[in-house]
Amino acid sequence: MPETTLAELAHEVRSKNAGPFWVTMELFLRDERGYRIAADESFLNEGVIAVLYRVEESTVQLFRIPALNVVKISFPRPVSQGSLRDRDIHAGQHHVPLARMVVPPVS
C-alpha cells in the first residue's frame, strides 16, 4: 500500500516569513478527515517539529484551527532573514519537510 503524505491531504502546504526572526508554515487540509490526521497531537506536535527542523521544542508554536481545517506552525528562524548565512530569504522552502511527512495509516 502506498504511503500518504501531508501534502496529499492538503490543498496547500506553505511557509513564509513571520518577520525577520520567525518562520510560519500552514497546512490547509482538504477536508475534516485530513484535518483530524494533521491536527492529531500524537502525530504532529511541537516535539516532532523540533526534530524535523532542528529547533528547540520550547520555541515551537502550533495552532490548530478546526473551523478552517488549518494547522499553523511557527518557530524562530535558524538565522535572521537576509543575514550572511540565510539560504532562503523568504522562507519559501521551509515547508518541504513538513509536506513530505508520511501520515499514519487510518483504519
Side-chain angles (χ1 to χ4, degrees):
M1 177 185 280
E3 296 178 325
T4 302
T5 64
L6 280 175
E8 293 171 301
L9 298 180
H11 283 292
E12 184 175 8
V13 182
R14 69 182 181 192
S15 56
K16 59 187 179 181
N17 282 328
F21 306 110
W22 284 80
V23 170
T24 291
M25 298 182 294
E26 297 160 326
L27 289 162
F28 295 88
L29 288 307
R30 294 182 188 279
D31 54 30
E32 287 182 38
R33 178 186 163 276
Y35 174 79
R36 281 193 308 275
I37 293 168
D40 184 342
E41 289 185 37
S42 66
F43 168 62
L44 188 60
N45 56 55
E46 291 83 351
V48 170
I49 297 300
V51 170
L52 194 60
Y53 288 94
R54 298 183 184 122
V55 297
E56 291 292 323
E57 182 176 348
S58 63
T59 65
V60 176
Q61 299 177 358
L62 244 113
F63 305 93
R64 293 169 177 87
I65 310 167
L68 300 174
N69 292 332
V70 170
V71 177
K72 182 176 179 175
I73 303 160
S74 294
F75 57 83
R77 291 177 62 104
V79 296
S80 61
Q81 178 187 19
S83 67
L84 184 60
R85 295 184 322 153
D86 186 10
R87 295 178 26 192
D88 185 2
I89 195 164
H90 299 290
Q93 302 302 313
H94 283 65
H95 69 283
V96 175
L98 179 67
R100 290 182 174 170
M101 281 185 64
V102 175
V103 300
V106 179
S107 49

